[in-house]
Amino acid sequence: EFSSFLKQKMLHFGDRKVGVVGCPVHHGQAKPGTEHGPDALREGGLIKKLMGLGLDVHDYGDVGTPSHEDDHHFDLPVKNPKHVATASENIAADVYNVIKSGRTCLALGGDHSMAIGSIFGHSLAEPEHVVVWVDAHADINTPLTSSSGNMHGMPLSFLVKELQPYISKLPGFEFIKPCLSAKNIAYIGLRDVDPGERYIIEKLGIQSFSMSEVDRHGIKDVVEKAMHYLDPEGVKPIHLSFDIDALDPSLAPSTGTPVPGGLSIREGNYICEELAATGRLTCVDIAEVNPSLGNERDNLITVNSALSIITHCFGGRRQGTYPKNYQIPIPTHTNHVAPPPS
Ligand SMILES: NC(=[NH2+])NCCC[C@H](N)C(=O)O
Ligand SMILES: [Mn+2]
Ligand SMILES: [Mn+2]
């Protein structure tokens, strides 16, 4: 038993190609600053860290997020639907192109309304994909169940087929075709779920591993169960949508809707290592990093947590890694120090 434990699989760096897409959206919620998320992650050393993992990285820059006048809905409390729709359409196009070009997509938020576009774009390239949604929140409010009107609390409702009879027509959203079934989604980390969301989760039978399940079963069982449920054969492309507020606020203070009692960095990294090890992670969202909230130290902690989560999605492993053709260096005449004469 124990010896098999020690015989860990030695894995060198992946040969994977990564495409980074900045999604600087903030109109899905009320606190300005998430639009600076992509640049905060880049300035924190994101690209260098990914290249350090031996990956071929291309940064596609940020998608356009054009603004609209009169962006409110007269009968619904939904905020900025046109703005969110246009940004989503642009995000979907870029994510689709990145994945079609054979790269794994890393979509940098931006508030979590970004996932409308990234998941839809992913589905155009890989219709069979499944979604692991790591978040304190369920983000499956419909425009009518939402009490805030913030669209970062609604992204999944526009994508889930079974919910469409309950979804109001919103300006700009005509391009979206619901691309997920309830059985294609698994939540991890929930701890702030609205009544309407809980009802939807139960009615549609969406797999949800709240922090209670993480406490009860441990993160290993939770990830195993989630993956077995989503794809027992282990063949489908995976979309990881990681809201930084899934982590405990001590690890991600610079975010708009922190909720105490979150995942540890070990649990977060474990999820990512396991998903990466499948070799089927095709798109990762990192949402809700807001550098305008908190002080400089809070920002640093949040960005470093996000970078840790990202690197473990792209081949970083806590056991260590090495490049593909790694050899132990052999001393040569130029660097071999002769023993001193006796
Ligand atoms: N992506 C997030 N941080 N979402 C928070 C959503 C909070 C709340 N459930 C709402 O709908 O307004
Ligand atoms: Mn959240
Ligand atoms: Mn979220």
Side-chain angles (χ1 to χ4, degrees), residues 191-249:
R191 56 194 185 277
D192 182 8
V193 178
D194 299 334
E197 293 183 302
R198 182 65 209 169
Y199 185 83
I200 289 169
I201 288 170
E202 288 184 14
K203 185 175 162 75
L204 302 187
I206 299 178
Q207 203 59 200
S208 103
F209 300 93
S210 73
M211 287 311 293
S212 306
E213 280 69 42
V214 174
D215 287 342
R216 191 173 302 125
H217 302 293
I219 197 68
K220 169 184 177 284
D221 279 12
V222 162
V223 174
E224 236 170 63
K225 284 198 176 96
M227 292 319 295
H228 180 77
Y229 170 83
L230 288 174
D231 180 18
E233 271 144 39
V235 293
K236 295 183 175 175
I238 302 167
H239 187 111
L240 170 62
S241 204
F242 200 112
D243 185 326
I244 205 66
D245 72 28
L247 297 177
D248 191 77

Side-chain angles (χ1 to χ4, degrees), residues 19-24 38-39 42 58-64 94 106 108:
V20 177
V21 175
C23 311
D39 277 343
R42 290 186 180 103
H58 184 77
D59 188 348
Y60 290 78
D62 291 348
V63 306
D94 275 26
L106 171 60
L108 306 174

Side-chain angles (χ1 to χ4, degrees), residues 112 133 135 139 152 243:
H112 218 163
W133 192 278
D135 201 328
D139 293 351
H152 76 156
D243 185 326

Side-chain angles (χ1 to χ4, degrees), residues 101-122:
S101 76
R103 290 178 183 267
T104 304
C105 185
L106 171 60
L108 306 174
D111 73 60
H112 218 163
S113 69
M114 67 173 288
I116 299 170
S118 69
I119 291 177
F120 183 60
H122 191 175

